[in-house]
Structures are given as structure tokens and as C-alpha cells.
Amino acid sequence: MMAHVKELVKRGCKVTVVTPDFVVWGELTGEAAKPPVQQAIPGVVEHVVLETQRTPVYRKNLCMRYSLRNFNTLVSLINRIKPDIVHGTQEASIQVLATACLMCDVPLVVSVHTDVGQIAARDQNFSTLGGTIGRIHAKIAVACTSWGYRNWALSGSSFFAVSEQAKKLLRNAGVSDLCV
């Protein structure tokens, strides 16, 4: 993501960055639950942080928390800064960002870079449930990811596929080549 930011700043674009705060919601209390102070990103107008949760199913990664607070923060931010376009990276809670963009009538471009199916197939601990139930759980998660790609496309999102493999994932999910 930072390469995108650096290049946009270099080209004179006004860039606002939105990231999770990386404090897992509900896991810490007191001082430990406070988001860390964010370092300034050279050339970035504003850095907004959102509540964080562990990625559903694949609990090793973090993503933006599914919450009305995060949704309202995104809608308020989009309405305040009135961006020409919003770029989001592929992550489990991008539905929140896609919905905010749809409601604010701002185009969304999603970078697709991860083959969730391959991760699920290779990592026996993809699902914390383990065994046969865990494998079924992982297959459902992969199917929901593909369904998410299609839903984002139906909401008007465009996709930046970083590889031929990413393009194939999108096609297999039913995303039109016109959206890629």
C-alpha cells in the first residue's frame, strides 16, 4: 500500500490514508486498549485509524472491525474530503468500505492480491476449528470471499488485479472483465 501512497503524493495528489488501529477490539483493557500514536506519513494529508478485529475464520491477520462506528467514520470522512476515488486493498471487511462508497456515490477500486483458496488449502490451521469441521469452515470462507468479489463488482467497484492469477480469481467469482 505504501508504494501507492508514495507514488500518488509524488504526482501531487492529496492522499488520505485509512488503516486499522491494530488494537484488537475486545482483547485488551485499560491503557493497552488505546490505539498507538500513528507516525506521520510523508506527504499524506490525514491518517485515519479504525477499530480492528481479527480476520474472520483466518484469525492470524487483522482487519477493520465490522462496526457501525467504523462505517460512520468512513461515511463522514468521504463526505468531508470528497475524494475523486477510493482505493481499498483486499481484506475481509471491505464490504464496510464498499457500502460507504456506494452510499456516498464515490468510485471504489479494490486491489486483489491474495488467493484465499490457496492459503486455506495450504494452512491446516486456517480455521481454528480444526479437523473435518475446520476444513468445511475454510471452504465456506473461501466461497464467501468469492461471493464478496462479486458483490463488490455489483456495487460498482472496479478491481486492480495485481497478477494473472488475481484476474482468474475474479473471473471465477463471476466478476465481469469490464470491472477489472
Side-chain angles (χ1 to χ4, degrees):
M1 177 186 77
M2 293 313 297
H4 294 94
V5 170
K6 287 178 184 175
E7 185 61 29
L8 288 169
V9 168
K10 183 174 141 183
R11 292 176 184 223
C13 298
K14 293 180 184 175
V15 178
T16 299
V17 173
V18 179
T19 64
D21 62 14
F22 299 104
V23 176
V24 181
W25 189 84
E27 290 187 13
L28 301 172
T29 58
E31 281 297 309
K34 291 183 180 177
V37 175
Q38 299 299 316
Q39 294 181 0
I41 303 169
V44 169
V45 175
E46 184 177 5
H47 183 183
V48 177
V49 293
L50 301 171
E51 294 175 321
T52 302
Q53 70 180 32
R54 293 198 181 279
T55 303
V57 185
Y58 194 57
R59 311 292 289 167
K60 295 178 182 180
N61 293 337
L62 302 177
C63 67
M64 171 179 59
R65 181 172 175 247
Y66 286 92
S67 70
L68 287 176
R69 174 186 240 166
N70 280 348
F71 175 74
N72 289 334
T73 298
L74 289 168
V75 169
S76 295
L77 179 66
I78 292 168
N79 284 329
R80 179 171 53 83
I81 66 174
K82 300 186 183 334
D84 295 324
I85 195 165
V86 171
H87 171 259
T89 58
Q90 171 189 357
E91 67 126 87
S93 59
I94 200 149
Q95 294 87 335
V96 177
L97 179 60
T99 304
C101 289
L102 185 63
M103 288 186 63
C104 297
D105 197 28
V106 175
L108 172 64
V109 175
V110 179
S111 293
V112 178
H113 49 79
T114 304
D115 186 339
V116 177
Q118 280 193 9
I119 295 170
R122 292 180 180 172
D123 187 344
Q124 293 303 310
N125 296 315
F126 183 84
S127 170
T128 55
L129 298 177
T132 302
I133 298 295
R135 286 190 292 280
I136 293 168
H137 189 220
K139 286 182 187 221
I140 292 169
V142 171
C144 286
T145 301
S146 292
W147 186 48
Y149 296 148
R150 183 156 172 72
N151 287 343
W152 302 336
L154 292 173
S155 74
S157 298
S158 298
F159 295 88
F160 175 69
V162 300
S163 65
E164 288 301 317
Q165 181 181 2
K167 287 180 186 176
K168 183 179 177 186
L169 290 171
L170 293 169
R171 281 188 203 106
N172 290 345
V175 175
S176 164
D177 284 341
L178 298 173
C179 295
V180 180

